[in-house]
Amino acid sequence: MAFPASINSVPNEILISILGFLPPSALLPLIAVSRRFSSVILRILRQRLLEAASLPDHRLILECYHPAAKLSTPYLYGDYLWTDGIDDASTGAVIAKGHDSPDLTLSALGRMYSHFRPVKQDENRRGRRRYPRQSEAQAAAQDVAADEQGGSSSTPNSGSNASSSTATSASTAARSQNLPDRPSEDVFLDEGELFSQLCTVTNLVKVGPKRGLFLSHVNINDGLIRVFRDWLAAQATDASPGAQAPILWADTHQTVGVRFRVSERDPGWERMPLLVEADEEAPVSYRLEFEEVLVRSGRLLLMMEESAKQQVITQSGKAIVVIASI
């Protein structure tokens, strides 16, 4: 007597082919069906992470700005570096996995992050300055002069001024060699001001045929980063070339995080002399250089699915065109 066929008699190759047509949002609930389903679905998700992490035909966009400078701060692109558990962090090569070994676990999937390097977009290589009447050469010369003056003065922050002077010299050398500068954001704290806020918006876009036009646009995260005076002073003082900067998370779920390299700047040429009492904190200025952006890989995979849905709507005749704010 022949027994009726069940799902357990289906080979893994056929099961993978069947489940491969489902989007990630439909695959995740099926993990609880059985251990076999869990192993097969996690293998499919790992392969999709491997394909989606490098963002083929897509770009990661980071907007990190002070609330008062939303319209004047250009956005940054994110160049893919590696993904935890999939790529080697030192070489960027894909980590080999055995065919019969489990690819990853559900808990490991939730802890995986994709790493990106923020870079300036071509149309925003010349960033907007607070004083637009100054030329690039005049503004750079004033920055160098201010940092050298701060480094030569005997103040308690002389070590920070020295590191700022070193960073400025490196930036000047990069400009002389026609190398792209690392994107940065300047933070100013008035007397008695304890912290500053940076609005952090991360989007996934598919670049269109023309500059500034996107064929699809989905939001990954919209958060806020607070940088405190004490933290900025500690990072500027203890910064060393080989040390890894801490991660500042933009939301409580730790979906998106940013690493900054902090250096202190002398804001003396940008403000009038002020009388500060002994128990008050003087105004300070810091430069935050973008080192790395971390995005939760599972969230990135789901947003790739949303982007694919927008592209289907676009191909059906209803165009979705997003004009970039430059």
Side-chain angles (χ1 to χ4, degrees):
M1 178 178 179
F3 291 96
S6 64
I7 191 66
N8 294 327
S9 61
V10 178
N12 285 344
E13 291 75 10
I14 298 179
L15 191 59
I16 291 176
S17 300
I18 296 174
L19 297 178
F21 290 98
L22 298 179
S25 58
L27 287 175
L28 290 176
L30 299 178
I31 293 180
V33 172
S34 65
R35 291 186 177 181
R36 186 186 179 200
F37 265 66
S38 176
S39 176
V40 170
I41 291 175
L42 288 175
R43 183 176 299 179
I44 295 174
L45 292 178
R46 183 187 183 275
Q47 182 62 30
R48 291 187 181 179
L49 280 175
L50 184 62
E51 298 172 355
S54 57
L55 302 183
D57 302 328
H58 289 75
R59 295 301 301 269
L60 185 77
I61 284 184
L62 173 66
E63 298 179 69
C64 191
Y65 53 85
H66 189 273
K70 178 179 180 179
L71 300 179
S72 60
T73 304
Y75 60 83
L76 303 174
Y77 280 137
D79 288 348
Y80 176 72
L81 297 176
W82 75 86
T83 297
D84 300 334
I86 294 182
D87 302 322
D88 189 350
S90 59
T91 62
V94 178
I95 299 176
K97 292 286 185 180
H99 178 72
D100 297 330
S101 61
D103 295 326
L104 77 161
T105 62
L106 186 59
S107 59
L109 177 63
R111 296 191 302 266
M112 291 174 58
Y113 285 91
S114 298
H115 301 249
F116 299 86
R117 178 186 294 110
V119 295
K120 297 179 182 179
Q121 53 171 329
D122 294 337
E123 56 266 31
N124 285 336
R125 290 289 180 180
R126 298 178 59 186
R128 297 175 175 85
R129 291 188 167 269
R130 175 173 294 186
Y131 305 100
R133 293 184 178 180
Q134 293 179 338
S135 63
E136 288 286 334
Q138 293 174 346
Q142 288 182 350
D143 287 346
V144 174
D147 289 333
E148 290 179 352
Q149 182 178 0
S152 60
S153 59
S154 57
T155 61
N157 296 327
S158 58
S160 300
N161 291 329
S163 62
S164 176
S165 177
T166 303
T168 305
S169 301
S171 177
T172 305
R175 285 194 298 267
S176 63
Q177 298 176 5
N178 296 326
L179 297 178
D181 293 339
R182 179 179 295 175
S184 61
E185 181 73 20
D186 292 338
V187 175
F188 303 92
L189 296 177
D190 293 331
E191 59 274 9
E193 191 174 5
L194 298 180
F195 64 90
S196 180
Q197 299 186 136
L198 296 175
C199 298
T200 307
V201 182
T202 312
N203 299 308
L204 181 67
V205 301
K206 183 172 183 179
V207 182
K210 295 184 180 180
R211 186 178 64 181
L213 296 179
F214 302 144
L215 299 181
S216 65
H217 179 281
V218 291
N219 178 258
I220 298 177
N221 182 261
D222 192 345
L224 185 69
I225 293 178
R226 287 184 176 178
V227 285
F228 290 83
R229 176 188 290 262
D230 295 340
W231 182 86
L232 290 170
Q235 292 298 315
T237 304
D238 301 336
S240 58
Q244 190 176 38
I247 303 174
L248 297 181
W249 298 105
D251 61 318
T252 56
H253 299 288
Q254 298 185 354
T255 305
V256 174
V258 184
R259 294 186 192 271
F260 293 105
R261 179 69 61 180
V262 182
S263 59
E264 188 174 1
R265 303 178 67 247
D266 184 7
W269 68 276
E270 295 181 340
R271 59 182 175 85
M272 297 297 293
L274 298 177
L275 298 178
V276 181
E277 297 182 2
D279 57 344
E280 292 183 352
E281 296 176 321
V284 292
S285 174
Y286 294 92
R287 173 158 294 174
L288 277 62
E289 295 184 353
F290 293 88
E291 282 196 341
E292 188 181 25
V293 177
L294 290 78
V295 181
R296 195 178 291 273
S297 301
R299 176 70 174 174
L300 191 63
L301 185 60
L302 293 176
M303 292 304 101
M304 289 288 290
E305 177 186 347
E306 292 296 327
S307 178
K309 292 180 181 179
Q310 288 190 3
Q311 295 176 41
V312 170
I313 297 176
T314 303
Q315 293 175 359
S316 64
K318 301 177 181 179
I320 296 180
V321 180
V322 181
I323 301 178
S325 57
I326 301 176

